[in-house]
Amino acid sequence: AQSVTQLDSQVPVFEEAPVELRCNYSSSVSVYLFWYVQYPNQGLQLLLKYLSGSTLVKGINGFEAEFNKSQTSFHLRKPSVHISDTAEYFCAVIINAGKSTFGDGTTLTVKP
Amino acid sequence: KAGVTQTPRYLIKTRGQQVTLSCSPISGHRSVSWYQQTPGQGLQFLFEYFSETQRNKGNFPGRFSGRQFSNSRSEMNVSTLELGDSALYLCASKVSDNEQFFGPGTRLTVL
């Protein structure tokens, strides 16, 4: 069975500081990995995805993530956050064409 | 290209009633998945439909059912509503490479 663990439920950070949101997964087979962002009262929007190839993935809004197979991690990073990045972030894993499994989410709060 | 649309956006029902939610995927997308999102349980997968057939199913009771039409539009039905069914129900569609596009959700409140 696959599972996703987001290690931090809440991450407060000051504006223009760097941030890392951590995600670990468990799977015995190859996976596809995703990060989504959810703003209040909205659906989820894809930030970036890893399907294959380069382990460093760049996404929208200046976010990037690195796939680490040996550590089964897919941490999300941004070198300098803005107030507008305040939202909930979800890590997700899919095996082939199977169902998606989402982490519990990390609430990122950017303070001025 | 229009995004995923869900109707209604908000819904209030009472215990014991049933409810039907609708999802129109992005044009050309044949896969539609449904999720339940609650503060306590997070984002839980309900089921996925592809070409009018249920392809994957989560661990929800039989009160939760769905279907997909030939135009890929999907409906989700919940019968005999319980207070714990209050949630944001999200629909997502995809065409390939597993990237899902989410709708804005339907917020269901059960009183």
Side-chain angles (χ1 to χ4, degrees):
Chain A
Q2 59 190 49
S3 71
V4 180
T5 303
Q6 291 185 239
L7 297 162
D8 308 290
S9 59
Q10 308 228 11
V11 173
V13 64
F14 286 104
E15 193 174 18
E16 297 184 6
V19 71
E20 177 180 79
L21 307 184
R22 298 178 294 168
C23 173
N24 284 97
Y25 67 93
S26 64
S27 174
S28 57
V29 297
S30 296
V31 297
Y32 297 154
L33 295 156
F34 303 80
W35 275 100
Y36 289 87
V37 61
Q38 185 179 32
Y39 299 103
N41 299 313
Q42 294 187 28
L44 276 67
Q45 178 184 1
L46 182 71
L47 275 176
L48 47 78
K49 61 186 176 184
Y50 172 79
L51 304 180
S52 65
S54 173
T55 57
L56 183 63
V57 180
K58 293 190 183 298
I60 62 171
N61 301 341
F63 284 94
E64 64 179 34
E66 184 153 21
F67 169 58
N68 188 320
K69 188 174 182 179
S70 62
Q71 304 210 355
T72 59
S73 68
F74 191 55
H75 300 333
L76 180 70
R77 302 186 183 99
K78 186 170 182 177
S80 175
V81 294
H82 303 291
I83 298 287
S84 59
D85 292 324
T86 294
E88 188 150 18
Y89 292 79
F90 292 92
C91 180
V93 59
I94 299 175
I95 295 180
N96 296 326
K99 64 180 184 180
S100 298
T101 300
F102 285 79
D104 290 336
T106 297
T107 301
L108 174 64
T109 304
V110 181
K111 300 179 285 186
Chain B
K1 189 183 266 191
V4 178
T5 58
Q6 293 187 246
T7 56
R9 291 293 312 277
Y10 301 91
L11 204 50
I12 299 175
K13 292 286 188 178
T14 56
R15 279 181 301 176
Q17 287 187 308
Q18 72 151 13
V19 67
T20 299
L21 311 182
S22 180
C23 171
S24 292
I26 292 172
S27 177
H29 288 196
R30 294 165 63 189
S31 166
V32 173
S33 296
W34 288 90
Y35 297 86
Q36 181 196 66
Q37 186 178 27
T38 60
Q41 299 296 319
L43 206 59
Q44 302 281 319
F45 172 78
L46 280 154
F47 29 66
E48 179 195 7
Y49 285 87
F50 181 84
S51 293
E52 302 179 63
T53 301
Q54 189 179 86
R55 182 158 73 172
N56 288 297
K57 189 177 188 301
N59 298 320
F60 278 79
R63 299 186 298 108
F64 291 82
S65 63
R67 60 177 176 169
Q68 187 179 34
F69 302 94
S70 58
N71 62 358
S72 293
R73 189 178 71 86
S74 176
E75 288 183 346
M76 190 192 87
N77 184 276
V78 188
S79 62
T80 320
L81 283 166
E82 300 176 359
L83 295 179
D85 297 332
S86 293
L88 180 67
Y89 289 89
L90 292 165
C91 162
S93 73
K94 67 183 181 182
V95 60
S96 65
D97 77 11
N98 293 292
E99 176 181 345
Q100 296 184 90
F101 294 82
F102 283 81
T106 294
R107 183 159 303 277
L108 171 65
T109 302
V110 182
L111 302 175

